[in-house]
Amino acid sequence: MQSSDIKVQLIEESKISQVDFNNLPFGSVFSDHMLECDYKDGKWQTPVIKPYSPITLDPSAKIFHYGQSIFEGMKAYKDAEGSTLLFRPLENCKRLNKSAERMVIPQIPEDIFMTGLKKLLEIDNNWIPTKEGSSLYIRPFMFASGNGFHASPANAFKLLICTAPSGAYFAGKVKVLIEEKYARAANGGVGFAKAGGNYAAQFYPTQLAIEKGYNQVIWTDDNTHEYIEEAGAMNIFIRINDTLITSPTSDRILDGITRKSIIQIAKDSGIDVEVRKITVSEVIAAAQSGSLKEMFGAGTAAVISPIAGFGYQEKDYDLPELENPLALQLKKQITDIQTNKAEDPYGWRVKL
């Protein structure tokens, strides 16, 4: 697909003058345009870029009844010269299609995804923030638009890509609760996919944790609740002494792009990294002995979110305040690559 193939309907008057780019929330201010592409009659149609606006669906659209919905999270940045940059966008496209396969949604051709995304960012280029710590958050999502109450996959779908100039996802460190009852995902399920229902199911136990004074939940395995799996909507890293540990991906754990990047950068920086199962009891023992140095979540939205402390079985554990924690070192290395402040030896940065 060529950029010229995409239909473009420009907004009559931009909303950009109404936005305070120095005080951006996360994900609630939306850019002028969005991309929409329909799947019908057995194939993806020509994408359309049009003003950001509501969409109309029939009440019997299967997204409302059977939850065929997936999404991705990406960011666009500008460097000091004003160039537009993406971070490992093909990994997002691959993961979107991996989620699509599991949810019986037609996979989106890479050329439609990338050409459409680049054209959208070209049109709304002025919406990409330049303030330190800000970025243009990109939300591609696909869902069942086909109609009918029959419990079966839809025959029509939509891909939309919307963007939101955003500030930081979390401000400062967070306090988390290790979950003992509820599970985020199960073996053989859809935990590895970025399916909307995964996140909806997290809200209730997370709300219970918030009511107890915590910010987020650390998820444990669905069978025994003995193994640490994820932190809220992010992958989790645990530093014991000078070793960085993270759980292996599985049916239950998302193959995070930030996670993969951290593992690579950490190994290349000489940090001892172990990708293995880690038990709650090992983390508690490390906290009690003083060998637990850091815990942090990792994901596109926050990049890295340090954890200040955690609760388990009615007891709280505080993590030490370190002068130069690995979390901040690794976050700087990743964001410097993303924003073209450092060399990119991996070829992750894509300049538009």
Side-chain angles (χ1 to χ4, degrees):
M1 167 168 283
Q2 302 297 316
S3 178
S4 57
D5 296 330
I6 299 173
K7 299 176 184 178
V8 177
Q9 304 167 11
L10 295 178
I11 195 168
E12 291 185 5
E13 184 176 352
S14 175
K15 304 169 293 185
I16 198 166
S17 62
Q18 304 169 21
V19 177
D20 181 0
F21 279 81
N22 290 315
N23 294 286
L24 287 169
F26 184 89
S28 58
V29 174
F30 304 103
S31 311
D32 282 333
H33 299 90
M34 65 184 189
L35 179 141
E36 183 175 2
C37 187
D38 285 306
Y39 179 91
K40 59 184 180 179
D41 302 326
K43 63 179 182 180
W44 287 100
Q45 308 297 305
T46 301
V48 177
I49 292 175
K50 61 184 187 179
Y52 181 90
S53 58
I55 58 175
T56 301
L57 292 171
D58 192 282
S60 69
K62 292 198 173 185
I63 174 57
F64 300 133
H65 307 278
Y66 304 114
Q68 276 181 286
S69 174
I70 57 174
F71 69 95
E72 273 297 318
M74 311 170 65
K75 287 180 177 178
Y77 308 85
K78 279 190 178 177
D79 64 13
E81 284 71 47
S83 298
T84 300
L85 309 167
L86 292 170
F87 184 71
R88 308 187 76 173
L90 292 180
E91 290 293 324
N92 290 102
C93 186
K94 290 175 185 175
R95 192 171 62 183
L96 186 67
N97 281 331
K98 185 178 179 182
S99 299
E101 180 180 24
R102 181 63 178 85
M103 300 299 289
V104 197
I105 296 174
Q107 297 188 24
I108 187 74
E110 186 180 287
D111 66 326
I112 292 180
F113 182 86
M114 289 303 301
T115 304
L117 174 59
K118 289 177 180 178
K119 184 69 173 179
L120 180 62
L121 294 178
E122 175 188 317
I123 291 170
D124 278 350
N125 196 261
N126 289 338
W127 284 86
I128 304 174
T130 55
K131 183 182 177 183
E132 186 80 22
S134 297
S135 60
L136 185 72
Y137 185 76
I138 303 167
R139 172 55 61 87
F141 57 107
M142 297 162 66
F143 61 90
S145 56
N147 302 336
F149 293 145
H150 189 273
S152 59
N155 60 5
F157 296 85
K158 279 186 182 291
L159 163 73
L160 277 85
I161 304 179
C162 301
T163 64
S166 296
Y169 190 76
F170 287 120
K173 294 184 177 181
V174 298
K175 185 181 177 184
V176 298
L177 178 67
I178 296 179
E179 183 57 53
E180 300 176 62
K181 177 181 178 181
Y182 297 99
R184 177 189 173 274
N187 287 329
V190 296
F192 69 90
K194 284 188 76 70
N198 288 347
Y199 296 80
Q202 291 186 35
F203 294 157
Y204 177 66
T206 301
Q207 185 59 42
L208 295 179
I210 290 171
E211 290 170 3
K212 294 179 180 178
Y214 301 92
N215 304 104
Q216 265 295 352
V217 166
I218 289 186
W219 300 105
T220 50
D221 69 286
D222 63 305
N223 187 26
T224 65
H225 294 287
E226 293 177 2
Y227 295 95
I228 299 289
E229 298 216 321
E230 291 196 343
M234 297 181 285
N235 296 117
I236 187 168
F237 286 82
I238 297 166
R239 177 187 168 192
I240 296 179
N241 290 321
D242 291 324
T243 300
L244 199 58
I245 306 164
T246 192
S247 304
T249 55
S250 66
D251 285 349
R252 304 184 307 276
I253 297 176
L254 189 71
D255 186 11
I257 295 164
T258 305
R259 171 188 176 275
K260 290 191 286 193
S261 305
I262 289 172
I263 291 171
Q264 186 68 61
I265 289 173
K267 286 181 176 179
D268 292 347
S269 300
I271 298 167
D272 183 21
V273 178
E274 294 181 1
V275 179
R276 64 169 175 85
K277 291 184 175 182
I278 181 168
T279 62
V280 175
S281 59
E282 183 180 355
V283 174
I284 298 296
Q288 291 173 338
S289 70
S291 59
L292 179 63
K293 303 301 182 185
E294 295 181 66
M295 297 170 66
F296 56 86
T300 297
V303 185
I304 287 177
S305 179
I307 293 170
F310 66 91
Y312 182 66
Q313 294 185 343
E314 305 299 325
K315 185 175 180 180
D316 285 337
Y317 300 84
D318 293 325
L319 275 78
E321 290 280 348
L322 303 180
E323 188 174 332
N324 190 24
L326 281 183
L328 297 186
Q329 293 179 45
L330 292 167
K331 183 174 183 176
K332 185 177 188 307
Q333 287 178 274
I334 289 179
T335 55
D336 281 355
I337 290 174
Q338 291 171 334
T339 55
N340 200 18
K341 293 177 182 174
E343 292 298 315
D344 175 17
Y346 311 105
W348 292 340
R349 189 171 57 227
V350 175
K351 183 178 178 180
L352 303 189

